Amino acid sequence: MAGGAGGKNWSSTVLRRRGWTNELMKQLLPKPRILMSNGRPIRMWSQEEVRRAEKDSSFAQARKDPELRGAALRAAAPGVRHASRLLAQTWEEAEKDGSAPWRLAGYYHEAILARLTSVPRSRTFDQARSIGQLREFLALEESCTAGQITAALKNFLRAVPWMGECADHAQARAALERYPRVLYGASAQVLAEFSAAQPEADAEAMLGTEGFPSSQLFKEGLAAVWSVWYVPQAIRTSLSLLIALNPKDEYPEARAMRRRFVLHLGGTNTGKTYAGFQRLKQARSGVYLAPLRLLALEAQETLLEAGVDCSLTTGEEEDSREWDTHTAATAEKLDLKRYYDAAVIDECQMIADPQRGYAWTRAILGVLSPEVHLCAAPEAEDLLIRLIESCGDSYEVEVHKRTTPLVCMTRTVDYHRVQPGDALITFSKVGVLSVAEDLRQSGKEPAIIYGALPYSTRRRQMEGFLKGEMQYIVSTDAIGMGLNLPIRRIIFLETEKFDGVERRELKPEEIRQIAGRAGRFGMYNKGYVGATQGLPVIRAGLEAVIPPLDHAVAGFSDLVLQAEFDLLEVLTEWNRMPTVEPYRKLDISRYITLISKMREMGFTLAREHELKAANIPFDETEEALRELFFSFLRRWQQGQDIEQPGLPEGDPTLPELEQYYRKLDLYFSFAKTFGCPVDEERLYDSREQVADEINEILLHRLRNNIRFCPVCGKALPLYHRGRLCDECFRRERKGGPPWRAGQ
């Protein structure tokens, strides 16, 4: 039998200490279980049933019923009954107004009276202790914090039996006479502290809400009432409240926990993620969150090799078993309803990313774990601490240093004199492929890594480099995020990149993230960073002081679905309204565009289905993927099964194979989102077949998949439609002589 608060069941004795009466037990709880203890039958209720009933507004209302309270008091000790009458009388006679401090004081008074019925009987009193407890209570009028008031009021209740029995004592008279003013003064201080900590909170609106939980106020404090009781109600009933709230308040379950964070801060290759993993391996259950599915896969394999049962969950695949205790996932796939003993969140500087940062914000604010390890670049430290403190959680900081020095070279590197162990960095796919082919023509076999490469193919390329079958790497900045490879030198072939909006110079943090991959610990004494051109830019980036991150990106909660408005109107209004510091809102233009397009094409979906569809990860700017998405949506709406796309016919090119792989990803994501059946074995085989064919092209038929400008010999982008490159085409149109190779 588990009769204490730590067991699975509670006895009637425990319930009385929580403010229950026999009448309330009969009225609000199911029939008790009868368990035997020392030969006696004991009535027991499950903790879950009790807590569920206590959250119901009818519990608070029933406890206010004079008949129920009177019956409970009649069973209480004489001193308690006398003190209860005196306190109630003193409170009624006090001059009160409708101000917030008096309202809060009233709720404390209500909680005190309710708890008097559960004060244990005692025939003897410790007068000195009781006097000390009453003095502690009286001191609240002048000096009180949210942390002090709960303990002081509990001690006050312990002194009540003596106060009722010795009401003529000077200390008892003082406590009775000053009782309302003490509660008022303490409440004013608690409100001031609460407002300073949460300036966005509307305390007066909360205090005026029907069914205010005075019991929860007494036990957990005003901040808990705000985040756990009031905020969820406000979100469900008012869009204006929803968009004005602090994002941390969208996670009441996490706010009710006491979480401890460990910040692992350091640059690339400093071992910060490794440190988090050591704790994750020891935990009974845990989750690892990564920015890339390749990193999530590596994490799963690492844990499995360590004998830890681990699932994999990304937007494009799942690999799980019922008995798995751990999960490796991309940041967006965190299960906010699942409890973990330990959590590791990697690359937390991503929290400021305009498109994906919301996933890190959501994970940090909402993960249900008492121990959370955050791995981040040093510039994220202040922002992460600010978020942790706003949640009321504790933290410690561990700074990780590189064990192998990173040296910037003094001269530019001749592109044709690269050395084994070099990684050549360029910032376009066509650049990677053309450089790789150039190296191959000169007898140097490179591994190839770029963002659009299927991760199975990327793994094959990485394994070739690890085994020594390939001595060089040609990569985009995809190499910078978490890929630990035995690289001696990082060589930048260019110092500018196109970021989707404009072509710009590399930022210092981008240079450091990539450059940090040089000098693998245990293999090289030093790591070197160089460039074929623009070396001063690289050196300046390595030496620059990177400013601290100043904002976290916040997304909208699924609670927007509970606002009684059209989903597009809700999202549009949410986007217009300001948010509290240090948060900035997620760019929701993709959601607006997709939902508008769905309606334009005649889809009539429930709001939750519209939001689900808009959340599916795929590149909606790619016409073939967009058409496939809408064909899936049409079949689902008509109640038909969706079918796995077929492999392109004939001898597909590299772009066609890569696009087909993206179609398979979309197929899986859509099917999982809408609960459609998937032949996962066939899907796996198709992915592996595509990965093999792409790898074959990269190894043996790369030149056949690259087109070159016949005038200048420059490699053309893979989707380029013209015969000439853009520069030669412009020269030809202007009537001038085209530039030719060798000029």
Side-chain angles (χ1 to χ4, degrees):
M1 184 191 75
K8 296 181 179 179
N9 298 302
W10 276 331
S11 67
S12 57
T13 303
V14 174
L15 264 59
R16 287 193 185 94
R17 290 203 298 267
R18 296 175 67 87
W20 286 82
T21 65
N22 284 331
E23 288 77 6
L24 284 174
M25 294 177 203
K26 292 177 183 177
Q27 181 180 343
L28 300 178
L29 293 175
K31 288 185 178 181
R33 300 169 181 83
I34 305 300
L35 301 178
M36 300 302 293
S37 176
N38 297 324
R40 294 188 303 112
I42 303 292
R43 293 184 299 161
M44 304 293 288
W45 289 267
S46 77
Q47 291 184 11
E48 183 178 356
E49 290 170 345
V50 174
R51 289 197 176 103
R52 190 183 304 120
E54 288 177 349
K55 290 178 181 179
D56 195 300
S57 60
S58 58
F59 175 74
Q61 294 298 325
R63 292 182 63 192
K64 297 176 185 177
D65 188 329
E67 290 187 16
L68 291 177
R69 184 177 296 161
L73 275 174
R74 285 192 291 274
V80 172
R81 295 200 300 269
H82 188 206
S84 180
R85 287 193 294 270
L86 292 175
L87 291 175
Q89 181 181 346
T90 303
W91 178 262
E92 290 301 324
E93 292 174 354
E95 293 184 8
K96 303 179 287 292
D97 56 33
S99 65
W102 273 117
R103 280 189 174 185
L104 183 58
Y107 290 127
Y108 280 121
H109 169 66
E110 179 179 294
I112 288 170
L113 291 186
R115 274 168 171 68
L116 285 176
T117 60
S118 60
V119 173
R121 286 174 169 269
S122 177
R123 295 185 178 181
T124 60
F125 306 104
D126 186 335
Q127 178 168 300
R129 179 179 294 178
S130 297
I131 289 174
Q133 290 167 335
L134 293 182
R135 285 175 178 166
E136 180 187 9
F137 169 73
L138 294 174
L140 293 176
E141 184 176 4
E142 300 298 330
S143 178
C144 176
T145 66
Q148 293 171 341
I149 190 169
T150 298
L153 291 182
K154 286 180 179 178
N155 285 335
F156 175 74
L157 284 175
R158 295 186 181 102
V160 162
W162 174 84
M163 186 173 66
E165 292 283 352
C166 307
D168 291 331
H169 191 282
Q171 194 65 56
R173 288 202 309 271
L176 286 167
E177 290 169 2
R178 290 175 54 192
Y179 174 74
R181 298 299 305 177
V182 171
L183 290 183
Y184 172 85
S187 297
Q189 295 172 73
V190 169
L191 278 170
E193 180 185 341
F194 174 75
S195 297
Q198 305 201 72
E200 77 282 358
D202 189 344
E204 290 198 3
M206 173 175 60
L207 294 171
T209 303
E210 184 178 354
F212 186 95
S214 57
S215 174
Q216 185 178 20
L217 170 70
F218 188 96
K219 289 186 295 184
E220 301 175 29
L222 191 60
V225 172
W226 168 262
S227 62
V228 179
W229 176 77
Y230 179 71
V231 168
Q233 291 194 79
I235 290 176
R236 285 193 294 269
T237 57
S238 171
L239 176 62
S240 61
L241 283 175
L242 167 66
I243 56 184
L245 290 173
N246 191 311
K248 70 181 177 60
D249 294 322
E250 294 181 16
Y251 309 95
E253 293 87 356
R255 295 295 71 74
M257 292 180 67
R258 291 186 177 180
R259 303 185 302 170
R260 183 177 69 87
F261 284 80
V262 181
L263 274 66
H264 298 277
L265 302 175
T268 309
N269 252 348
T270 55
K272 53 187 184 294
T273 305
Y274 174 83
F277 255 91
Q278 299 316 299
R279 176 65 189 96
L280 198 62
K281 290 177 182 178
Q282 299 167 6
R284 289 179 301 175
S285 65
V287 61
Y288 168 78
L289 300 177
L292 304 172
R293 60 178 176 173
L294 181 62
L295 294 184
L297 178 64
E298 288 183 349
Q300 182 200 29
E301 292 176 342
T302 299
L303 291 171
L304 289 174
E305 288 172 2
V308 178
D309 295 325
C310 184
S311 298
L312 175 71
T313 304
T314 74
E316 297 82 8
E317 66 253 289
E318 286 185 7
D319 174 26
S320 62
R321 291 146 295 277
E322 290 183 5
W323 58 84
D324 286 336
T325 58
H326 289 57
T327 299
T330 44
E332 288 85 350
K333 301 302 288 185
L334 170 65
D335 184 350
L336 287 171
K337 296 180 180 178
R338 182 174 171 182
Y339 177 92
Y340 306 95
D341 287 316
V344 175
I345 306 176
D346 210 353
E347 305 292 354
C348 287
Q349 69 275 5
M350 289 282 290
I351 198 170
D353 184 85
Q355 278 75 45
R356 298 186 64 202
Y358 77 93
W360 277 261
T361 301
R362 171 179 174 269
I364 292 168
L365 297 180
V367 65
L368 297 179
S369 176
E371 181 181 342
V372 186
H373 295 259
L374 304 183
C375 307
E379 60 265 24
E381 178 178 5
D382 292 345
L383 178 62
L384 295 176
I385 289 175
R386 186 173 177 183
L387 264 60
I388 293 167
E389 289 180 336
S390 75
C391 294
D393 296 319
S394 61
Y395 68 91
E396 60 181 279
V397 177
E398 293 185 10
V399 178
H400 299 261
K401 302 287 187 181
R402 282 185 65 100
T403 52
T404 54
L406 193 61
V407 179
C408 185
M409 301 169 70
T410 56
R411 297 180 181 179
T412 56
V413 176
D414 184 343
Y415 166 68
H416 297 288
R417 300 181 67 182
V418 293
Q419 302 172 5
D422 284 355
L424 310 181
I425 309 301
T426 184
F427 296 97
S428 68
K429 173 181 168 180
V430 68
V432 168
L433 297 179
S434 58
V435 169
E437 180 60 21
D438 237 9
L439 289 175
R440 191 167 288 149
Q441 293 299 317
S442 61
K444 298 179 174 72
E445 189 64 38
I448 297 172
I449 297 174
Y450 54 87
L453 202 63
Y455 82 88
S456 294
T457 308
R458 192 184 308 190
R459 287 186 65 200
R460 288 167 171 76
Q461 293 288 309
M462 289 167 56
E463 287 168 0
F465 183 75
L466 288 167
K467 293 175 182 177
E469 297 168 359
M470 307 167 184
Q471 295 186 309
Y472 311 86
I473 294 178
V474 184
S475 175
T476 63
D477 50 355
I479 202 174
M481 198 70 77
L483 300 182
N484 293 313
L485 296 167
I487 297 169
R488 179 171 175 265
R489 301 194 306 179
I490 289 285
I491 308 297
F492 288 86
L493 302 184
E494 52 186 331
T495 58
E496 292 183 344
K497 66 176 287 188
F498 181 71
D499 61 7
V501 178
E502 61 180 351
R503 187 165 180 82
R504 58 166 176 79
E505 195 170 84
L506 294 174
K507 298 177 181 178
E509 54 267 35
E510 293 171 332
I511 292 173
R512 289 190 185 183
Q513 184 79 21
I514 299 167
R517 291 297 158 204
R520 176 75 178 270
F521 173 67
M523 296 197 65
Y524 300 107
N525 294 326
K526 293 181 181 179
Y528 294 91
V529 183
T532 57
Q533 57 179 330
L535 185 59
V537 174
I538 302 303
R539 182 180 293 109
L542 293 173
E543 296 173 351
V545 176
I546 299 177
L549 300 181
D550 61 359
H551 69 274
V553 174
F556 54 83
S557 163
D558 286 347
L559 291 169
V560 296
L561 296 172
Q562 298 181 23
E564 295 299 324
F565 299 95
D566 176 82
L567 181 57
L568 276 181
E569 292 179 354
V570 171
L571 293 177
T572 301
E573 191 63 27
W574 179 88
N575 202 38
R576 288 174 181 165
M577 298 296 291
T579 188
V580 297
E581 289 292 334
Y583 299 99
R584 291 187 189 173
K585 296 213 170 155
L586 166 72
D587 179 2
I588 61 169
S589 56
R590 179 181 189 272
Y591 293 89
I592 300 293
T593 300
L594 270 178
I595 294 171
S596 299
K597 187 66 176 177
M598 282 187 272
R599 294 180 180 183
E600 179 187 317
M601 295 182 67
F603 291 100
T604 54
L605 305 174
R607 287 179 299 169
E608 58 268 28
H609 292 147
E610 284 186 325
L611 194 57
K612 275 185 176 182
N615 262 319
I616 293 174
F618 74 100
D619 184 359
E620 72 283 359
T621 64
E622 192 172 337
E623 185 178 355
L625 293 181
R626 192 170 61 248
E627 290 179 355
L628 184 63
F629 168 79
F630 286 119
S631 71
F632 286 160
L633 193 59
R634 182 78 65 193
R635 292 184 66 86
W636 175 80
Q637 190 179 39
Q638 294 172 351
Q640 302 174 4
D641 290 339
I642 66 169
E643 298 176 353
Q644 177 178 312
L647 189 68
E649 296 180 359
D651 188 15
T653 63
L654 180 61
E656 289 173 336
L657 288 169
E658 290 174 347
Q659 186 181 80
Y660 177 62
Y661 200 92
R662 292 192 292 275
K663 287 182 177 181
L664 294 177
D665 285 346
L666 173 56
Y667 163 71
F668 178 84
S669 297
F670 188 97
K672 285 297 181 181
T673 297
F674 285 97
C676 304
V678 175
D679 185 341
E680 296 197 19
E681 203 169 302
R682 180 189 171 205
L683 177 62
Y684 176 83
D685 290 342
S686 298
R687 280 175 163 160
E688 290 301 299
Q689 180 183 350
V690 174
D692 286 340
E693 292 192 26
I694 292 177
N695 200 53
E696 175 68 18
I697 288 175
L698 296 182
L699 291 175
H700 305 296
R701 295 186 285 122
L702 184 55
R703 188 169 184 83
N704 297 340
N705 282 268
I706 301 177
R707 294 170 54 235
F708 300 88
C709 175
V711 176
C712 66
K714 182 179 179 181
L716 299 174
L718 295 183
Y719 292 97
H720 190 78
R721 293 185 178 181
R723 186 178 63 89
L724 306 178
C725 70
D726 291 340
E727 187 176 348
C728 289
F729 179 73
R730 285 194 295 269
R731 286 173 177 268
E732 189 175 86
R733 287 200 63 179
K734 289 180 180 179
W739 183 93
R740 296 191 178 276
Q743 288 185 326

